Each structure stands twice: as C-alpha cells, then as structure tokens.
C-alpha cells in the first residue's frame, strides 16, 4: 500500500498586484488559474494528501471573491476524500493580535481542511487503507530571531508508517537561503521521516539530508523577476514506509516574466526609437517585461527619451512593462551650479514682488495685504 501526495506551497493567491493598474484583476486571476490546475489534477488523480506549505494566500486579508473561490475548491476536494493539510507562512500568518487569525483558519472551521497553525511541530494522524500516516505540521513563527532554529530541541512524533513534515522556512544548503534569517539547520532534519516538505523558497528544489528527502515544490506563479527563468509547478509523489518511491514535477501555466537590457548610444539617433527597435523583437502579448535602459548620453540626446511614448507603444505588445532607467547616465561638460541659499520668506518676497509688478495700480494694496497676511501665518507656524 502506498500513499499519494500532491505537494504545493507559495501559491500567493490574491496578490494586490497594484503595479499592474487596470490589468491587476487579470493578474490576480493568473494566480487563481495556477491553483485551479492543481485542483483539477487532484480531482483527476485522487491523492490521499494535498499538502500546502504556507504562503497559500498573499496576505492576511484576501478579498472575498478569492476566499469564496478557494472555499468552493476545498469543498470539492473534501467531497472526494482528499485530505488537505496546511501550514501558514510569511504572508498568511497573523503578526499581531489585531490581525487575529490567519485566513486559513476560516477554511479549517468548515472541516474541509486541516490547518496546523501552531508554530511548534503538531502531528496529525491519517489512516489510508492499512497505512498510518503522520503529517507533522509547523506554521511559521514570525517572532524568531535569525539565530533561532525553530526545530532545535523539539520532540517529533514518528508514529506513522509514513512520516511527513510540513513547514515554511528556509533550510540550510538550499538555493535562496543566505543566512542572517531564521532557518532550519541541516542537523535538525529528522532521520526517520519519509518526507520533509517546506514552502518559502520559490524555486523548486530537493535534496537528501540525514537520509530524508527534503523538498521545496516552489511557487505556482511568478511573484517577482527573480523567478523569471524558473519553471513553476507542484510535486506529485508516491511514498511508502521506505521513502519516496516516485516523484514527478508538474508545471503550472505561470505568466512569463522577462528582463530586457537595452543599451542606448548617443550615435544611434532617438533613444525612444532605439528602445522601440529592441522591444519589437521581444514582443509577446502574454509577457510581463522589465526594460533596463543603460548607457551614457548627452542632455540633448536624453531629450529624445520619451517614456510615456514607449509605454503606449508597449500597451498592445505586452501584458505589462516596467521601466528601469537607473543605468542611464547623462554626460555633462560643466558641473551644474547650485542655486543660491534662500529662505521660505525670501522666496515668498520674490514671488510677491513679481506679482506686484504684474498687477494694476489699484490692485496693489490687496497684494500687499495678502503678502503681509501670508508672512504672519508662516511666522505663526515658526517659519523664518
Ligand atoms: Mn512565498
């Protein structure tokens, strides 16, 4: 008898997506769409366990449309006797009393899912056929310091025929863990577990530590440009008491993200034109594109750079474009002189002098009056 597991994490459902402007609803739908692929896969392939390793929601207060959608999907899976187990991560763990509870608690109340919300290891036993399966979950503890290993000194239950650990932390030795943050050390990975699964790192990766299979399924949609070259998806696993027998990685249809480096030159004519030519070669209506403009140009040449024109040029050619001009430098022949030192009241005086010289004789007393009143107000506020 073997146990089938669908393992996922970092689904980041309902991101704010504000940077996408009017297309934010479409972008939100991308995340939902990727999760939908998992649900359909599960309904078709009937795993015993559907494990979610944190950051299921992108925030502590997901919108009602997403919540309603998720509640419906969890219900469908529950009706097929698929056991869903979740822990919370950086994005869906409450950090204050005011935030109260994780949105995952709401789903747990329906009885459709098991949410292991304790930041200490908590075992949950399941029986599939003749096998006893222990899923020990440990939700993120936001208060731990960088030196604290959340598993140090913890007793772990290994009462199952198959023992699975589910959490949301960086683990030493994996790509994306840089130290200086709370993490699980290699020595804390239990030896007698068949699977140690975690969310947090968005790149899918796996390793064997202390004889145990350690796995990050990775995110199901691209959350940032750091993920532009990565394949997104989830893990489909078959386990028994000896360990992982079969493992497959199934992709989700994450929206492509791409960075385009465009080096402009002073000799190449209009900068806008130069960048347009490069953009044309990379066009793709589904793409999220980041354009990094670099080069050294004169002030005159810089005046041929029209970001708004480029933005409207990109509108139908890409899903969304971001411009980064940090690498675009202006060559100046002479240093720009700083303006003389002044004070708010001196500047105010200058403005009123100009105003006075432009008004008709009979209006002058009113301008003087306004000038005096403004000075009085400013002085009351401590301006000198
Ligand atoms: Mn995440």
């Amino acid at each position: 008898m073997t146990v089938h597991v669908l393992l996922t994490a970092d689904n980041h459902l309902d991101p704010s997506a504000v940077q996408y402007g009017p297309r934010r609803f479409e972008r939100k739908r991308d995340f939902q769409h990727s999760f939908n692929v998992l649900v359909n896969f599960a309904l078709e392939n009937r795993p015993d366990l559907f494990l979610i390793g944190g950051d299921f929601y992108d925030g502590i207060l997901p919108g009602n449309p997403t919540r309603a959608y998720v509640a419906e999907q969890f219900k469908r899976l529950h009706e097929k006797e698929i056991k869903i187990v979740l822990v919370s991560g950086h994005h869906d763990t409450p950090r204050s009393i005011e935030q109260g509870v994780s949105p995952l608690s709401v789903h747990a109340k329906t009885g459709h899912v098991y949410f292991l919300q304790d930041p200490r290891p908590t075992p949950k036993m399941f029986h599939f056929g003749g096998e006893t399966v222990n899923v020990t979950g440990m939700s993120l503890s936001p208060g731990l310091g960088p030196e604290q290993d959340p598993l140090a000194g913890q007793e772990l239950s290994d009462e199952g025929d198959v023992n699975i650990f589910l959490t949301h932390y960086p683990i030493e030795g994996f790509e994306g863990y840089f130290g200086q943050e709370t993490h699980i050390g290699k020595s804390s990975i239990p030896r007698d577990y068949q699977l140690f699964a975690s969310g947090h790192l968005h790149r899918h990766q796996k390793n064997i530590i202390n004889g145990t299979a350690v796995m990050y399924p990775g995110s199901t949609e691209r959350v940032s440009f750091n993920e532009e070259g990565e394949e997104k998806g989830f893990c489909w696993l078959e386990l028994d008491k000896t360990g992982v027998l079969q493992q497959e990685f199934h992709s989700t249809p994450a929206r492509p993200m791409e960075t385009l480096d465009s080096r402009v030159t002073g000799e190449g004519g209009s900068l806008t034109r130069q960048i347009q030519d490069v953009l044309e070669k990379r066009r793709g209506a589904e793409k999220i594109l980041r354009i990094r403009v670099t080069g050294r140009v004169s002030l005159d040449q810089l005046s041929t750079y029209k970001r708004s024109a480029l933005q409207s040029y990109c509108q139908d050619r890409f899903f969304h474009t971001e411009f980064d001009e940090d690498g675009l430098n202006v060559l100046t022949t002479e240093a720009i002189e700083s303006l003389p030192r002044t004070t708010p009241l001196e500047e105010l005086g200058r403005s009123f002098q100009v105003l006075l010289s432009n008004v008709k004789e009979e209006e002058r007393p009113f301008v003087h009056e306004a000038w005096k009143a403004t000075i009085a107000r400013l002085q009351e506020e401590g301006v000198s």
Side-chain angles (χ1 to χ4, degrees), residues 63-75:
N64 287 334
T66 309
R67 279 190 217 238
Y69 158 81
V70 167
E72 189 187 339
Q73 304 315 313
F74 282 165
K75 181 163 178 274

Side-chain angles (χ1 to χ4, degrees), residues 50-263:
F50 191 120
L51 305 179
I52 304 175
D55 284 0
F56 178 69
Y57 282 117
D58 191 62
I60 203 80
L61 277 176
N64 287 334
T66 309
R67 279 190 217 238
Y69 158 81
V70 167
E72 189 187 339
Q73 304 315 313
F74 282 165
K75 181 163 178 274
R76 290 171 75 200
L77 294 164
H78 174 77
E79 282 167 356
K80 299 294 179 201
E81 284 171 24
I82 298 164
K83 308 292 182 200
I84 305 162
V85 186
L86 301 108
V87 294
S88 62
H90 296 89
H91 288 256
D92 47 10
T93 300
R95 282 161 194 271
S96 64
I97 294 169
E98 198 178 12
Q99 287 184 337
V101 293
S102 167
L104 303 176
S105 300
V106 179
H107 298 300
K109 301 277 187 216
T110 63
H112 295 157
V113 306
Y114 301 92
F115 172 34
L116 304 176
Q117 59 181 313
D118 205 297
R120 283 157 306 182
T122 307
K124 169 76 201 150
M125 289 296 197
F126 297 95
H127 302 278
F128 302 121
E131 306 279 338
T132 307
V133 178
N134 153 38
V135 179
T136 294
M138 177 172 76
S139 283
L140 185 90
S141 175
L144 292 180
E147 302 307 317
Q148 286 171 290
D149 181 331
L151 270 182
Q154 300 282 354
E155 283 291 328
L156 296 188
S157 156
D158 56 355
E159 284 165 40
D161 298 313
V162 175
N163 296 288
I164 299 171
F165 200 89
L166 181 66
T167 192
H168 187 93
Y169 278 104
I171 301 171
E172 184 189 357
F174 282 86
E175 202 178 318
Y177 158 66
F178 304 109
Q180 265 96 72
E181 57 180 331
T182 310
H183 68 277
I184 295 171
K186 281 184 181 172
S187 59
S188 297
I189 303 291
R191 293 182 178 279
D192 39 15
Y193 269 58
Q194 279 67 28
L195 174 67
F196 192 98
S198 183
H200 178 60
L201 300 180
H202 285 190
R203 179 192 282 269
H204 165 57
Q205 47 196 312
K206 56 196 182 191
N207 207 342
I208 306 285
I209 300 174
N210 302 332
T212 301
V214 183
M215 215 171 281
Y216 282 97
S219 54
T220 47
E221 235 306 335
R222 294 185 177 89
V223 174
S224 78
F225 282 100
N226 294 333
E227 300 174 59
E228 65 178 75
E230 297 175 7
E231 205 184 339
K232 301 283 110 185
F234 61 94
C235 298
W236 175 239
L237 309 165
E238 189 180 356
L239 292 95
D240 75 357
K241 58 188 79 178
T242 66
V244 179
L245 302 174
Q246 294 275 354
Q247 45 183 305
E248 293 171 4
F249 182 74
H250 289 262
S251 329
T252 44
R255 185 175 290 286
M257 285 179 123
E258 217 175 280
T259 300
L260 169 60
D261 284 301
S262 177
R263 190 165 187 85

